[in-house]
Amino acid sequence: MDNNNKLSNPQETIRVMKENGFTVRKKFGQNFLIDSHVIDKIIAAAEIDKDTEVLEIGPGLGTLTQYLAEAAKSVTAVEIDDMLIPILEKTLASYDNVRIVHGDILKQDVNELFGGRPFKIVANLPYYITTPIIMSLLESKVPAQSITVMIQKEVADRMKASPGSKDYGALSLAVQYYSEPYLAANVPPNCFMPRPGVGSAVIRLKILDKPSVEVKDEELMFKIIRASFNQRRKTLANAVSHFEGLNFSREDVEKALEACGLKPGVRGEALTLEEFSALANALSE
Ligand code: SAM
């Protein structure tokens, strides 16, 4: 399909919305892409070719989907909004490698959609549920090779942040435990219709074959991480010993910190993922 006739042309997006009497639903985080250069950057960052099976989350009117269908082997697109399903059937009618699934990505058995085959995830995500979607995909250990998504710039910065920076926190550690993040592009609000109130970014998370650190009790490590960043101004020992669901005294935590070569008064924001895993291992003994 010629780029002019695609939905990345704003006139075409307006025409399709009018023709179908569709108005954007804010509750579903609908901000449609209207810039072909941004879409090209997403496809390049995701490293899509004719052997790639793609899972797209939230195809909307089908804007990104039209480009994905031309670049990939196949696209499975999961959309929650029932009003968009008949529209997608029309805007994607000329592609025979697209499967439209009506459903909520958070309730979808993603593995079943691909019968265990590897795939790549690509999306312009609904911003109101970015973190739950990414975390459920990472934690469910689906055989996805990468997740390339448009998200709020501020969330992208948190995902790739390093110790000591203001953006560093539980999300950085969780994302970097399962994947290698790479910021592919910053995207201004005028690339969307309607324009979001925040800046956006395209981030690619390359899923690691195995987590980046070895830890005996993964759940305990993430509880310690959550506790440490729950009250950033407290020392780690203080925050962890007062956290619900963790039964350690301040002395227990201080001893474990010392055993790991860390100062008893250290704050969570100074610890690397390796240090959190060592601390969790020391506390699980
Ligand atoms: N991909 C389109 C584009 O780039 O123009 C639309 C992106 S829009 C930011 C997000 C899309 O996700 C909307 O179509 C919205 O209806 C859909 N969506 C929101 N919540 C969803 C969920 N839980 N499961 C699947 N799709 C969802």
Side-chain angles (χ1 to χ4, degrees):
M1 192 191 285
D2 185 78
N3 273 7
N4 251 339
N5 299 326
K6 289 194 178 124
L7 290 150
S8 54
N9 175 352
Q11 265 76 51
E12 186 58 12
T13 282
I14 292 168
R15 190 191 66 74
V16 166
M17 285 184 23
K18 264 201 187 143
E19 193 179 278
N20 292 280
F22 180 81
T23 44
V24 161
R25 299 219 254 180
K26 269 201 174 153
K27 69 164 179 173
F28 289 136
Q30 291 172 350
N31 297 95
F32 302 132
L33 271 167
I34 46 162
D35 188 310
S36 63
H37 301 295
V38 172
I39 298 177
D40 287 340
K41 280 186 193 166
I42 297 175
I43 307 239
E47 296 170 341
I48 307 280
D49 61 30
K50 278 288 166 197
D51 292 325
T52 317
E53 294 195 46
V54 174
L55 168 66
E56 188 192 2
I57 301 163
L61 298 169
T63 318
L64 179 55
T65 328
Q66 292 180 331
Y67 286 77
L68 287 169
E70 289 177 12
K73 179 179 178 190
S74 68
V75 186
T76 300
V78 179
E79 173 56 59
I80 197 169
D81 187 348
D82 53 355
M83 303 275 288
L84 287 169
I85 304 301
I87 300 179
L88 285 164
E89 275 157 11
K90 287 189 249 174
T91 59
L92 301 170
S94 60
Y95 302 104
D96 59 7
N97 59 345
V98 177
R99 172 168 52 149
I100 302 160
V101 179
H102 180 209
D104 178 345
I105 192 64
L106 291 173
K107 297 190 182 137
Q108 201 70 44
D109 182 343
V110 171
N111 239 337
E112 193 210 46
L113 287 176
F114 290 88
R117 293 186 307 280
F119 57 95
K120 290 182 176 175
I121 299 171
V122 182
N124 169 16
L125 282 181
Y127 292 175
Y128 74 107
I129 43 166
T130 298
T131 306
I133 291 177
I134 302 254
M135 287 318 302
S136 81
L137 291 168
L138 290 174
E139 284 168 0
S140 63
K141 301 185 171 113
V142 290
Q145 296 162 311
S146 61
I147 303 177
T148 305
V149 281
M150 177 84 72
I151 58 177
Q152 274 184 55
K153 166 86 173 102
E154 173 243 315
V155 180
D157 287 341
R158 279 165 45 209
M159 286 184 179
K160 63 171 190 52
S162 309
S165 84
K166 68 168 179 22
D167 295 323
Y168 187 60
L171 183 65
S172 330
L173 286 153
V175 164
Q176 293 168 30
Y177 178 69
Y178 295 106
S179 74
E180 195 186 293
Y182 163 71
L183 189 87
N186 287 320
V187 182
N190 63 3
C191 297
F192 303 86
M193 188 189 292
R195 294 179 183 195
V198 292
S200 304
V202 178
I203 195 163
R204 181 191 64 212
L205 310 177
K206 243 190 196 154
I207 311 294
L208 302 169
D209 290 338
K210 59 181 178 55
S212 57
V213 296
E214 266 183 47
V215 60
K216 285 183 211 147
D217 185 341
E218 202 174 275
E219 205 184 318
L220 174 66
M221 180 178 77
F222 282 111
K223 264 192 194 159
I224 293 170
I225 289 173
R226 272 201 304 281
S228 307
F229 289 97
N230 198 35
Q231 287 173 294
R232 292 178 84 101
R233 292 174 59 200
K234 278 192 178 176
T235 65
L236 186 152
N238 211 348
V240 169
S241 57
H242 285 99
F243 196 69
E244 223 186 285
L246 285 174
N247 290 318
F248 300 116
S249 69
R250 205 169 82 196
E251 290 68 36
D252 290 338
V253 185
E254 286 178 350
K255 255 193 225 155
L257 283 168
E258 278 186 326
C260 299
L262 293 160
K263 293 205 176 98
V266 73
R267 287 183 213 279
E269 65 203 24
L271 265 64
T272 62
L273 185 53
E274 289 74 14
E275 287 167 334
F276 272 113
S277 71
L279 179 64
N281 286 344
L283 279 168
S284 67
E285 265 158 25

Coordinates of all heavy atoms in Angstrom, one line a residue, residues 28-33 56-60 63-64 78-81 84 103-106 124-126 128-129, ligand 1:
F28 N -9.2 4.3 27.1 CA -8.3 3.2 26.6 C -7.0 3.8 26.2 O -6.2 3.1 25.5 CB -9.0 2.5 25.4 CG -10.2 1.7 25.8 CD1 -11.3 1.7 25.0 CD2 -10.1 0.8 26.8 CE1 -12.4 0.9 25.4 CE2 -11.2 0.0 27.2 CZ -12.3 0.0 26.4
G29 N -6.7 5.0 26.5 CA -5.3 5.6 26.2 C -5.1 5.7 24.7 O -4.0 5.4 24.2
Q30 N -6.1 6.1 24.0 CA -6.0 6.2 22.5 C -5.3 7.5 22.0 O -5.9 8.5 22.0 CB -7.4 6.0 21.9 CG -7.8 4.5 22.1 CD -9.3 4.3 21.7 OE1 -10.0 5.2 21.4 NE2 -9.7 3.0 21.7
N31 N -4.1 7.3 21.5 CA -3.4 8.4 20.8 C -2.8 7.8 19.6 O -1.8 7.0 19.7 CB -2.3 9.0 21.7 CG -2.8 9.6 23.0 OD1 -2.9 9.0 24.0 ND2 -3.2 10.8 22.9
F32 N -3.4 8.0 18.4 CA -3.0 7.4 17.2 C -1.8 8.0 16.6 O -1.7 9.2 16.5 CB -4.2 7.3 16.2 CG -5.4 6.6 16.8 CD1 -6.6 7.2 16.7 CD2 -5.3 5.4 17.5 CE1 -7.8 6.6 17.3 CE2 -6.4 4.8 18.0 CZ -7.6 5.4 17.9
L33 N -0.9 7.2 16.1 CA 0.3 7.7 15.4 C 0.0 8.3 14.0 O -0.8 7.7 13.3 CB 1.3 6.5 15.2 CG 2.3 6.3 16.3 CD1 3.0 5.0 16.2 CD2 3.3 7.4 16.4
E56 N 1.3 -7.4 18.2 CA 1.1 -6.0 18.4 C 0.0 -5.8 19.5 O -1.1 -6.4 19.4 CB 0.6 -5.3 17.1 CG 0.6 -3.8 17.4 CD -0.1 -2.9 16.3 OE1 -0.6 -3.5 15.3 OE2 -0.1 -1.7 16.5
I57 N 0.3 -5.0 20.5 CA -0.7 -4.7 21.5 C -1.4 -3.4 21.2 O -0.7 -2.3 21.0 CB 0.0 -4.5 22.9 CG1 0.8 -5.8 23.2 CG2 -1.0 -4.2 24.0 CD1 1.8 -5.7 24.3
G58 N -2.7 -3.4 21.1 CA -3.5 -2.2 20.8 C -3.3 -1.6 19.5 O -2.6 -0.5 19.3
P59 N -3.7 -2.2 18.4 CA -3.5 -1.7 17.0 C -4.3 -0.4 16.7 O -4.0 0.3 15.8 CB -4.0 -2.9 16.1 CG -5.0 -3.6 17.0 CD -4.4 -3.5 18.4
G60 N -5.3 -0.1 17.6 CA -6.1 1.1 17.3 C -6.8 1.1 16.0 O -7.6 0.1 15.7
T63 N -2.8 1.7 12.3 CA -1.7 2.5 11.7 C -0.3 1.8 11.6 O 0.2 1.6 10.6 CB -1.6 3.8 12.5 OG1 -2.9 4.3 12.8 CG2 -0.8 4.8 11.7
L64 N 0.1 1.4 12.8 CA 1.4 0.7 12.9 C 1.3 -0.7 12.3 O 2.2 -1.2 11.6 CB 1.8 0.6 14.4 CG 3.0 -0.1 14.9 CD1 4.3 0.5 14.2 CD2 3.2 0.0 16.4
V78 N -3.8 -7.5 19.2 CA -4.8 -7.7 20.3 C -5.3 -6.3 20.7 O -4.6 -5.4 21.2 CB -4.2 -8.4 21.6 CG1 -5.2 -8.5 22.7 CG2 -3.6 -9.7 21.2
E79 N -6.6 -6.1 20.4 CA -7.3 -4.8 20.7 C -8.5 -4.9 21.6 O -9.3 -5.8 21.4 CB -7.7 -4.2 19.4 CG -8.5 -2.9 19.5 CD -7.8 -1.8 20.2 OE1 -6.7 -1.3 19.8 OE2 -8.4 -1.3 21.3
I80 N -8.5 -4.1 22.7 CA -9.6 -4.2 23.7 C -10.9 -3.5 23.2 O -12.0 -4.0 23.7 CB -9.1 -3.6 25.0 CG1 -10.0 -4.0 26.2 CG2 -9.1 -2.1 24.9 CD1 -9.4 -3.7 27.6
D81 N -10.8 -2.5 22.4 CA -12.0 -1.7 22.1 C -12.9 -2.3 21.0 O -12.5 -2.4 19.8 CB -11.5 -0.3 21.7 CG -12.6 0.7 21.5 OD1 -13.8 0.3 21.5 OD2 -12.3 1.9 21.3
L84 N -13.4 -0.7 17.6 CA -12.3 -0.7 16.6 C -12.2 -2.0 15.8 O -11.5 -2.0 14.7 CB -10.9 -0.5 17.3 CG -10.7 1.0 17.9 CD1 -9.5 1.0 18.8 CD2 -10.6 1.9 16.7
G103 N -9.6 -8.5 22.6 CA -9.4 -8.9 24.0 C -8.5 -7.9 24.7 O -8.0 -6.9 24.2
D104 N -8.4 -8.2 26.0 CA -7.5 -7.4 26.9 C -6.2 -8.1 27.1 O -6.1 -9.2 27.5 CB -8.3 -7.3 28.3 CG -7.5 -6.6 29.3 OD1 -6.3 -6.3 29.1 OD2 -8.1 -6.2 30.4
I105 N -5.1 -7.4 26.7 CA -3.8 -8.0 26.7 C -3.4 -8.6 28.1 O -2.7 -9.6 28.2 CB -2.7 -7.1 26.1 CG1 -1.4 -7.8 25.9 CG2 -2.5 -5.9 27.1 CD1 -1.4 -8.8 24.8
L106 N -3.9 -7.9 29.1 CA -3.6 -8.4 30.5 C -4.3 -9.7 30.8 O -3.9 -10.4 31.8 CB -3.9 -7.3 31.5 CG -3.1 -6.0 31.5 CD1 -3.7 -5.0 32.4 CD2 -1.6 -6.3 31.8
N124 N 2.5 0.7 20.2 CA 2.4 2.1 20.7 C 1.4 1.9 21.9 O 0.2 1.8 21.7 CB 1.8 3.0 19.6 CG 1.4 4.3 20.2 OD1 1.8 4.8 21.2 ND2 0.6 5.0 19.4
L125 N 2.0 1.8 23.1 CA 1.2 1.3 24.3 C 0.2 2.3 24.8 O 0.5 3.5 24.7 CB 2.1 0.9 25.4 CG 2.8 -0.5 25.3 CD1 3.7 -0.7 26.5 CD2 1.9 -1.6 25.1
P126 N -0.9 1.8 25.3 CA -1.8 2.8 26.1 C -1.1 3.1 27.4 O -0.7 2.3 28.2 CB -3.0 1.9 26.4 CG -2.6 0.5 26.2 CD -1.4 0.5 25.3
Y128 N -1.8 4.4 30.2 CA -2.3 4.3 31.6 C -2.0 2.9 32.1 O -2.1 2.7 33.3 CB -3.9 4.5 31.6 CG -4.7 3.4 30.9 CD1 -5.5 2.5 31.7 CD2 -4.7 3.2 29.5 CE1 -6.2 1.5 31.1 CE2 -5.5 2.2 29.0 CZ -6.2 1.4 29.7 OH -6.9 0.4 29.2
I129 N -1.6 1.9 31.3 CA -1.2 0.6 31.8 C 0.1 0.1 31.3 O 0.4 -1.1 31.2 CB -2.3 -0.5 31.6 CG1 -2.9 -0.4 30.1 CG2 -3.4 -0.5 32.6 CD1 -3.7 -1.6 29.7
Ligands
SAM1 N1 -1.3 1.3 17.6 C1 -2.2 2.4 17.4 C2 -1.4 3.6 16.8 O1 -0.2 3.6 17.0 O2 -2.0 4.5 16.3 C3 -3.0 2.8 18.6 C4 -2.1 3.1 19.9 S1 -3.1 3.7 21.2 C5 -1.8 4.6 22.1 C6 -3.3 2.3 22.3 C7 -4.2 1.3 21.8 O3 -4.3 0.2 22.8 C8 -5.7 1.7 21.6 O4 -6.2 1.2 20.4 C9 -6.5 1.1 22.8 O5 -7.8 0.9 22.5 C10 -5.7 -0.2 23.0 N2 -5.8 -0.8 24.4 C11 -5.9 -0.1 25.6 N3 -5.9 -1.0 26.6 C12 -5.8 -2.2 26.1 C13 -5.7 -3.5 26.6 N4 -5.8 -3.7 27.9 N5 -5.5 -4.6 25.8 C14 -5.4 -4.4 24.4 N6 -5.5 -3.2 23.9 C15 -5.7 -2.1 24.6

